[in-house]
Amino acid sequence: MDFMLSGAAACGACLFTNPLEVVKTRMQLQGELKTRGSYQVYYRNVFHAFYTIGKVDGLAGLQKGLAPGLVYQFLMNGVRLGSFAIIESSGHIHTEGRVSAVKTTLAGAVAGVVGAVMGSPVYLVKTHLQSQSTSSIAVGHQHKHQGMIHALAAIYRQHGILGLWRGSSAAIPRVSVGSAAQLSTFSSAKELVLDLQVFPKDSWLVALTAGMISSVVVVVAMTPFDVVSTRLYNQPVDHLGKVRI
């Protein structure tokens, strides 16, 4: 049940955050392997990117990659959060009744690695689909997939089963660092909020506040790995899996 609920909650959040994922992917691919000032800037900032994509690709363009995004969130976060919930409820992250930062970080990293490996193929497809756009605002390599199933089948035909896990070498440190940062700081932040007695012990505001605190830490720790991961997933390769420049 922990796995199912964790996956379902992540999918619900994905419906609202997917447009941000589209914008993030485009901005991370913009200027790839080019020096500053030597390329055209289509997306000046987050708000301009939203406006540009909505204007050129239409509102539907802001939800590109939604299907693989939902599958990825269910697989990765179902395994990651479900595993961590089991570890936490078993008492393995506590020392003398208090949350142990070291144990929580290790548990979060391990849970993140398992989730990242399982979800890597659909994250690969999600990145390809979210980078696709009208030529006038295109950044990064354009893979020309027609949808999630078509993309998975095309990658499998061209590169075999291992081709579906291309880029996972970057996804593992990305998710393990992000997961360790999120889950360790969430538990510690939740404990802090309870100690300060800001909200009633059973209030949903305790989890919300802890989540907001941990999300700031996650963004700072994870973004460099996220940029590398996006570019590795989206780069073109030949039939032997070698990078085409």
Side-chain angles (χ1 to χ4, degrees), residues 168-218:
S168 59
S169 59
I172 290 173
R174 169 187 173 272
V175 178
S176 60
V177 168
S179 182
Q182 180 191 33
L183 297 176
S184 61
T185 55
F186 177 79
S187 297
S188 299
K190 187 177 179 181
E191 194 172 72
L192 175 64
V193 174
L194 290 173
D195 288 344
L196 294 175
Q197 298 181 346
V198 179
F199 305 111
K201 183 178 180 180
D202 297 327
S203 174
W204 59 273
L205 290 171
V206 173
L208 177 64
T209 304
M212 293 175 68
I213 294 171
S214 69
S215 65
V216 175
V217 179
V218 171

Side-chain angles (χ1 to χ4, degrees), residues 27-57:
M27 294 188 74
Q28 289 176 341
L29 292 173
Q30 183 170 250
E32 184 178 14
L33 300 179
K34 295 178 181 178
T35 58
R36 185 181 295 273
S38 65
Y39 59 90
Q40 185 172 352
V41 177
Y42 298 111
Y43 312 108
R44 293 195 295 269
N45 52 55
V46 174
F47 303 106
H48 181 256
F50 267 107
Y51 171 77
T52 302
I53 295 170
K55 179 182 178 181
V56 179
D57 289 341

Side-chain angles (χ1 to χ4, degrees), residues 116-234:
V117 171
M118 292 189 65
S120 187
V122 283
Y123 194 88
L124 170 68
V125 171
K126 181 179 83 73
T127 302
H128 288 185
L129 292 176
Q130 289 180 338
S131 67
Q132 290 181 188
S133 63
T134 305
S135 59
S136 61
I137 58 169
V139 292
H141 182 73
Q142 301 293 289
H143 290 272
K144 309 296 183 182
H145 297 312
Q146 297 174 13
M148 181 178 71
I149 303 301
H150 175 268
L152 289 170
I155 294 169
Y156 175 74
R157 283 196 305 270
Q158 294 175 25
H159 308 293
I161 190 69
L162 292 179
L164 293 170
W165 270 268
R166 179 168 58 83
S168 59
S169 59
I172 290 173
R174 169 187 173 272
V175 178
S176 60
V177 168
S179 182
Q182 180 191 33
L183 297 176
S184 61
T185 55
F186 177 79
S187 297
S188 299
K190 187 177 179 181
E191 194 172 72
L192 175 64
V193 174
L194 290 173
D195 288 344
L196 294 175
Q197 298 181 346
V198 179
F199 305 111
K201 183 178 180 180
D202 297 327
S203 174
W204 59 273
L205 290 171
V206 173
L208 177 64
T209 304
M212 293 175 68
I213 294 171
S214 69
S215 65
V216 175
V217 179
V218 171
V219 170
V220 173
M222 193 174 176
T223 294
F225 298 94
D226 200 36
V227 174
V228 173
S229 180
T230 297
R231 293 186 176 186
L232 282 176
Y233 272 126
N234 195 64

Side-chain angles (χ1 to χ4, degrees), residues 104-115:
T104 308
T105 301
L106 289 174
V110 171
V113 168
V114 176

Side-chain angles (χ1 to χ4, degrees), residues 84-105:
F84 186 81
I86 293 173
I87 295 172
E88 184 179 31
S89 62
S90 300
H92 295 305
I93 66 170
H94 295 85
T95 300
E96 297 179 355
R98 302 287 294 182
V99 173
S100 169
V102 174
K103 290 181 179 180
T104 308
T105 301

